[in-house]
């Protein structure tokens, strides 16, 4: 199935990451903040060209086909991680002369979703809860040489287009409170930036009273899909 790609101006193309992009993604991703990295399961999924396979089904076939694929993976595998990796999106911005100048990593976060999903299943909610509803923008980085050309905006826009097109309800991420430039960036692109003590309610995702809190020293940004 054809991978996703879009032209951005005369020189830059936004596309899904390929195995050859992994070294530069590993270099760029940590620039998003302390502790951010390209985790090995996601790197392995890119290397094996499995990352985003479920999203491709959702875009090229239907949301229901994507959900069916995800459910099948959950039922056939002893671990839910393959389902998460096929629902992960790794994008790069490639300049026709300079190579990869930006990257975005986004996926439904297993460590957050799995405890809530298990409780949801016990309460009779779909086993897909969270995996096909909630996505985290883990890293969005543009090389200094390419800043000012709306590359970051386009990476984020295409990410939003893919996940919301596949039926996801909520996109979120974290920024440091001392980064007003990032706060302005997300606000201008339709995201709400929450206060330091604010959380995101997840009742609509898991069917019970649950909240998503920012990690220590961070603030959440979020955007819901408009029906």
């Amino acid at each position: 199935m054809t991978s996703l790609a879009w032209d951005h101006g005369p020189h830059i193309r936004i596309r899904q990451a390929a195995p050859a992009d992994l070294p530069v993604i590993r270099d760029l991703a940590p620039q998003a903040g302390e502790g951010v990295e390209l985790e090995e399961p996601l790197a392995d999924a890119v290397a094996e060209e499995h990352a985003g396979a479920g999203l491709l089904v959702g875009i090229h076939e239907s949301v229901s086909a994507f959900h069916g694929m995800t459910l099948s993976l959950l039922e056939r595998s002893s671990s839910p991680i393959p389902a998460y990796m096929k629902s992960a999106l790794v994008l790069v911005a490639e300049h026709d002369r300079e190579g990869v100048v930006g990257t975005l990593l986004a996926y439904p976060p297993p460590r957050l979703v799995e405890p809530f999903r298990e409780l949801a299943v016990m309460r009779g909610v779909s086993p897909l809860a969270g995996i096909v509803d909630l996505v985290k923008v883990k890293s969005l980085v543009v090389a200094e040489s390419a800043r000012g050309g709306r590359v970051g905006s386009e990476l984020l826009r295409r990410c939003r287009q893919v996940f919301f097109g596949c039926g996801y309800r909520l996109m979120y991420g974290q920024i440091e409170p001392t980064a007003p430039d990032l706060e302005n960036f997300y606000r201008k692109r339709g995201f709400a930036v929450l206060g330091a003590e604010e959380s995101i309610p997840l009742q609509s995702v898991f069917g019970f009273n649950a909240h998503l809190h920012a990690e220590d020293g961070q603030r959440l940004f979020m955007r819901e899909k408009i029906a």
Side-chain angles (χ1 to χ4, degrees):
M1 188 175 291
T2 304
S3 62
L4 301 170
W6 311 267
D7 290 329
H8 176 59
H11 300 291
I12 290 179
R13 190 164 177 79
I14 307 296
R15 59 171 174 80
Q16 279 184 279
D21 301 318
L22 286 170
V24 68
I25 295 172
R26 283 194 172 96
D27 288 340
L28 284 172
Q31 296 178 34
E34 185 177 352
V36 177
E37 63 178 354
L38 175 64
E39 295 96 334
E40 285 310 307
L42 186 53
D44 291 344
V46 173
E48 296 165 7
E49 300 184 300
H50 293 160
L55 301 175
L56 288 174
V57 169
I59 293 296
H60 294 303
E61 297 183 29
S62 67
V63 172
S64 61
F66 164 49
H67 288 185
M69 175 183 179
T70 305
L71 183 59
S72 177
L73 284 167
L74 290 172
E75 291 174 343
R76 290 188 287 109
S77 176
S78 59
S79 166
I81 295 302
Y84 283 91
M85 293 302 96
K86 284 184 168 58
S87 302
L89 187 65
V90 182
L91 296 178
V92 295
E94 183 177 35
H95 192 282
D96 58 7
R97 294 189 300 272
E98 299 176 19
V100 172
V101 294
T103 189
L104 180 147
L105 315 180
Y107 45 78
R111 282 179 289 184
L112 169 71
V113 171
E114 277 304 291
F116 287 143
R117 190 176 72 86
E118 291 175 1
L119 284 172
V121 170
M122 292 173 60
R123 293 169 182 241
V125 177
S126 167
L128 297 177
I131 299 180
V132 299
D133 304 289
L134 186 66
V135 58
K136 180 178 183 179
V137 179
K138 178 74 172 184
S139 177
L140 172 57
V141 178
V142 176
E144 189 171 353
S145 63
R147 292 173 189 168
R150 297 188 60 82
V151 174
S153 297
E154 188 66 6
L155 284 164
L156 186 62
R157 184 173 81 88
R158 293 303 182 179
C159 173
R160 188 176 70 246
Q161 176 186 347
V162 169
F163 279 104
F164 285 173
C166 286
Y168 282 75
R169 302 180 189 182
L170 176 65
M171 177 175 290
Y172 81 97
Q174 296 188 141
I175 58 173
E176 296 180 1
T178 55
D181 53 336
L182 287 179
E183 179 176 342
N184 292 334
F185 173 84
Y186 285 107
R187 286 191 190 281
K188 288 179 179 179
R189 283 146 190 88
F191 287 78
V193 180
L194 306 187
E197 302 301 322
E198 291 184 286
S199 60
I200 300 174
L202 299 177
Q203 172 94 33
S204 63
V205 174
F206 297 108
F208 58 88
N209 187 26
H211 283 77
L212 167 60
H213 297 271
E215 296 175 9
D216 289 344
Q218 302 285 306
R219 292 174 65 187
L220 293 167
F221 62 86
M222 60 169 284
R223 180 165 176 169
E224 294 182 281
K225 181 181 179 180
I226 299 174

